[in-house]
Amino acid sequence: MKTKVLTLFALAVSLAAPAAAETLRIISPYIGSVTNKYANAAYGLDLADTAQMRGIYAQWINTEKFQVNAFYYGAPEVNYSRVTGLHLNLDFYFRPTRAGKWVAGAGLESLNIDMSAGNSIPGLTLFNMDNDVLFYFARAGRYFYYRKGLLDASLLPYAGYASEKITGEITLDTPSPSPARTIDIGDKDSHPLAGLNLNVTLAHFIDLQGKWMGRFKDGERLDEYSLMANFYLNRHWGLSYRYKYMEYGSSSNGYHLGGVAYCF
């Protein structure tokens, strides 16, 4: 799955490249912590754990044409699990003016949770889970600009449609004489989404971003929040902080990361 996702990202970049005029590229390695939660009422599970996480972010942007970014992260041991994720996003801009611009794009998120709890969960002699979530969407919206003095801000409300595919299985066993069971947890669904992005730049060296995306699934709303703060020390180097919280039905991830940003 990861090979296919990376191939799609490379294709998106190659399609965007001819449109580039003046571009900005950013690469940021990160390290921090992630909190993973998993709940399953059927088996009385309510697990939460925090562990170290690492990631790397890359973005290529032309403010009048396009932006494309990718973020890959992983936590080797959290909640008896190895958690890895990949986020891709590509946007094209249309009719840019001093007041704003239109945007149309697509995004993809891939999450894998490989849990091997063994007999560590009370009441169970075995609990293993392999869970893959593939979530992709298309969206459209408009940026609105506000500039005054050293303040440069933009607001992007958008709407779109998403598809989600879950694959995997749970293997569990209890102290009873019954044999271990393997349960398919696969599912798929399509649903609308909406979001709001706020970007603020102060004095050209402080960059703040806040984002919310809500997915409306089965009468409920699954939320995704993210915050990012970049403090540039000079034209090429800066310090970066990133926070994100993601809901995926029975599980959720939230992370705090710090790193160094290199711009070129």
Side-chain angles (χ1 to χ4, degrees):
M1 178 183 293
K2 291 184 176 62
T3 300
K4 293 181 178 179
V5 169
L6 291 172
T7 301
L8 288 173
F9 176 62
L11 177 60
V13 171
S14 67
L15 289 174
E22 295 181 359
T23 61
L24 173 66
R25 301 172 182 87
I26 302 172
I27 296 178
S28 299
Y30 289 96
I31 187 169
S33 65
V34 60
T35 298
N36 173 259
K37 296 182 180 181
Y38 177 77
N40 190 318
Y43 305 106
L45 299 179
D46 189 6
L47 307 176
D49 191 20
T50 300
Q52 187 183 94
M53 172 178 151
R54 296 181 180 182
I56 185 166
Y57 174 82
Q59 184 178 37
W60 184 6
I61 183 171
N62 179 309
T63 56
E64 293 189 354
K65 300 293 184 180
F66 70 90
Q67 79 83 27
V68 58
N69 67 70
F71 181 57
Y72 177 77
Y73 59 90
E77 185 62 39
V78 56
N79 242 353
Y80 313 109
S81 306
R82 179 178 60 85
V83 176
T84 56
L86 178 66
H87 169 84
L88 303 175
N89 183 251
L90 171 65
D91 290 316
F92 289 101
Y93 304 138
F94 305 94
R95 298 183 178 180
T97 68
R98 292 182 59 85
K101 60 192 174 188
W102 295 96
V103 58
L108 180 149
E109 289 192 14
S110 173
L111 176 71
N112 172 258
I113 302 175
D114 185 6
M115 178 183 289
S116 182
N119 61 356
S120 301
I121 298 176
L124 297 175
T125 56
L126 176 67
F127 187 89
N128 296 332
M129 179 181 70
D130 185 23
N131 186 15
D132 285 290
V133 179
L134 180 62
F135 166 69
Y136 49 95
F137 63 89
R139 68 177 184 180
R142 179 172 174 79
Y143 277 99
F144 297 93
Y145 296 151
Y146 177 80
R147 297 183 176 95
K148 185 174 182 180
L150 298 178
L151 173 65
D152 190 344
S154 68
L155 185 67
L156 169 64
Y158 65 86
Y161 201 75
S163 292
E164 184 177 28
K165 183 179 180 181
I166 300 173
T167 58
E169 60 184 24
I170 293 175
T171 301
L172 58 88
D173 196 8
T174 63
S176 67
S178 302
R181 292 180 291 162
T182 298
I183 303 168
D184 187 352
I185 57 173
D187 192 17
K188 59 181 179 179
D189 191 19
S190 297
H191 43 269
L193 60 82
L196 189 66
N197 296 356
L198 174 64
N199 294 350
V200 176
T201 301
L202 301 172
H204 303 289
F205 70 92
I206 300 177
D207 183 28
L208 307 174
Q209 299 180 18
K211 300 180 180 180
W212 166 78
M213 182 172 68
R215 293 175 280 144
F216 303 93
K217 179 180 177 181
D218 300 329
E220 298 182 353
R221 191 185 74 208
L222 300 178
D223 291 313
E224 183 174 303
Y225 302 97
S226 61
L227 298 172
M228 187 170 71
N230 294 326
F231 302 91
Y232 292 102
L233 306 176
N234 54 43
R235 186 174 179 180
H236 296 290
W237 292 98
L239 302 177
S240 183
Y241 165 78
R242 180 182 292 267
Y243 166 78
K244 191 166 187 177
Y245 173 77
M246 302 159 286
E247 293 181 338
Y248 293 99
S250 59
S251 65
S252 68
N253 283 329
Y255 57 72
H256 296 271
L257 299 173
V260 177
Y262 176 65
C263 307
F264 60 101

